[in-house]
Amino acid sequence: MATLVIAEHDNTSLKSGLGNAISAATKIGGDIHVLVAGQGAAAAAAEAAKFAGVGKVLLADNAAFSAGLAENVAPFVAEKAREYSHVLVASTAFGKNLMPRVAALLDVAQISDIVAVESPDTFVRPIYAGNAFATVQSSDAIKVITVRTTGFDAAPTTGGAAVESIPGGADAGLSSLVKQEIVKSDRPELAAARVVVSGGRGLQNGENFRMLDALADKLNAAIGASRAAVDAGYVPNDYQVGQTGKIVAPDLYIAIGISGAIQHLAGMKDSKVIVAINKDPEAPIFQIADYGLVGDLFQIVPELTAAL
């Protein structure tokens, strides 16, 4: 029994989530290999080799993998998967795009968003926006799995696995990368931040949303948003936390002007400490908050920022 974990990267460095997927693979048992498919991605492969528990890193260097297009990566992963009992990837946009294709090519059922491993063939995953958990047992010869990163602590970087170059890969000619716009920020990455400050529709407009910047600066926090704030155009959609956005579980989550719709709660209710600021004492967010403050956020947030 061996597990293949797919690494997400930008050809230079790894994206967050690989360490969490490796932790899930460790609980399954057996050998763990990491696949880094890219172009000129030796640095990312060397980074992957540092995770504890990894037996070997497979580096597939091919121009077809340079943009990480699922149309090119999926057939290659499906071919390699036949040598393994499990194939895992973090449940990010990359993983959610890749793994359904891999599962279809292998003619197996994908197991999505696992948060616990009961045994090598039995896994726990949230359903109904995280309000219930399903225990799923698979009889497929190859288990194709996406891992919810908040369900597993990242593996420590105390390893020293060997990196092996492997051939393969081809351009399927089905898609191409036309343009890439990368948002650069000095703030921590939202999905991996220890502190998150999120704003909702209660901030009323994008100009008011900027008042969260000073608070986030004091806490070295990432900034998030509810879907309502994103849909209203206050902030870009990469700020969105929730069922259709990013799933986060920081040490501290501060929800400001967020009512707490079930879709938003699904993305942040596993946070260690939740603080809610809202003028409506009946807002659903207070039902899961560790600390709740009822009042005018336009008065409270500047006072909190000044106190910090």
Side-chain angles (χ1 to χ4, degrees):
M1 183 173 67
T3 299
L4 181 66
V5 182
I6 313 303
E8 180 182 359
H9 58 89
D10 60 5
N11 291 317
T12 302
S13 59
L14 298 174
K15 300 292 183 70
S16 63
L18 177 60
N20 310 83
I22 290 171
S23 287
T26 302
K27 294 183 182 299
I28 293 171
D31 295 334
I32 300 172
H33 296 171
V34 174
L35 174 63
V36 177
Q39 184 179 27
E47 195 178 343
K50 295 178 182 178
F51 283 105
V54 175
K56 182 165 56 176
V57 175
L58 306 175
L59 174 59
D61 196 313
N62 192 301
F65 302 146
S66 62
L69 298 173
E71 290 83 355
N72 294 344
V73 178
F76 181 69
V77 170
E79 180 184 341
K80 292 299 297 179
R82 300 184 190 280
E83 304 170 20
Y84 295 88
S85 58
H86 299 74
V87 183
L88 272 62
V89 71
S91 188
T92 60
F94 170 81
K96 292 175 181 178
N97 188 25
L98 173 68
M99 292 305 251
R101 303 168 192 267
V102 173
L105 290 168
L106 294 172
D107 195 24
V108 300
Q110 176 182 306
I111 305 170
S112 303
D113 258 7
I114 68 164
V115 295
V117 177
E118 297 287 319
S119 71
D121 67 352
T122 306
F123 311 92
V124 179
R125 61 180 298 268
I127 57 175
Y128 304 129
N131 287 294
F133 291 88
T135 301
V136 181
Q137 186 173 39
S138 171
S139 59
D140 288 324
I142 303 172
K143 279 75 171 172
V144 175
I145 300 168
T146 59
V147 177
R148 179 168 289 196
T149 56
T150 56
F152 301 88
D153 293 331
T157 52
T158 56
V163 177
E164 178 185 321
S165 294
I166 59 172
D171 188 346
L174 298 174
S175 64
S176 60
L177 178 65
V178 176
K179 185 172 68 170
Q180 194 170 19
E181 294 182 6
I182 300 175
V183 178
K184 293 186 178 180
S185 173
D186 293 331
R187 300 194 187 283
E189 184 185 355
L190 179 57
R194 293 182 62 251
V195 180
V196 174
V197 176
S198 274
R201 187 158 38 196
L203 284 157
Q204 300 177 0
N205 58 55
E207 190 66 30
N208 289 338
F209 211 97
R210 294 179 184 171
M211 70 187 295
L212 302 187
D213 289 346
L215 177 59
D217 287 343
K218 295 280 188 181
L219 297 169
N220 189 30
I223 292 183
S226 67
R227 179 171 180 172
V230 171
D231 287 350
Y234 300 171
V235 288
N237 60 10
D238 55 321
Y239 281 43
Q240 185 175 323
V241 173
Q243 188 176 16
T244 55
K246 290 184 171 69
I247 308 294
V248 301
D251 293 340
L252 173 62
Y253 188 90
I254 304 178
I256 300 172
I258 294 175
S259 63
I262 189 171
Q263 292 88 350
H264 185 77
L265 301 187
M268 46 65 71
K269 66 182 181 180
D270 290 332
S271 303
K272 306 293 188 299
V273 176
I274 299 172
V275 176
I277 301 172
N278 200 295
K279 66 180 181 181
D280 178 9
E282 302 299 322
I285 191 74
F286 288 124
Q287 296 176 14
I288 67 161
D290 298 287
Y291 301 93
L293 190 55
V294 178
D296 181 0
L297 68 87
F298 295 104
Q299 175 186 346
I300 292 170
V301 173
E303 289 180 358
L304 176 57
T305 305
L308 287 169

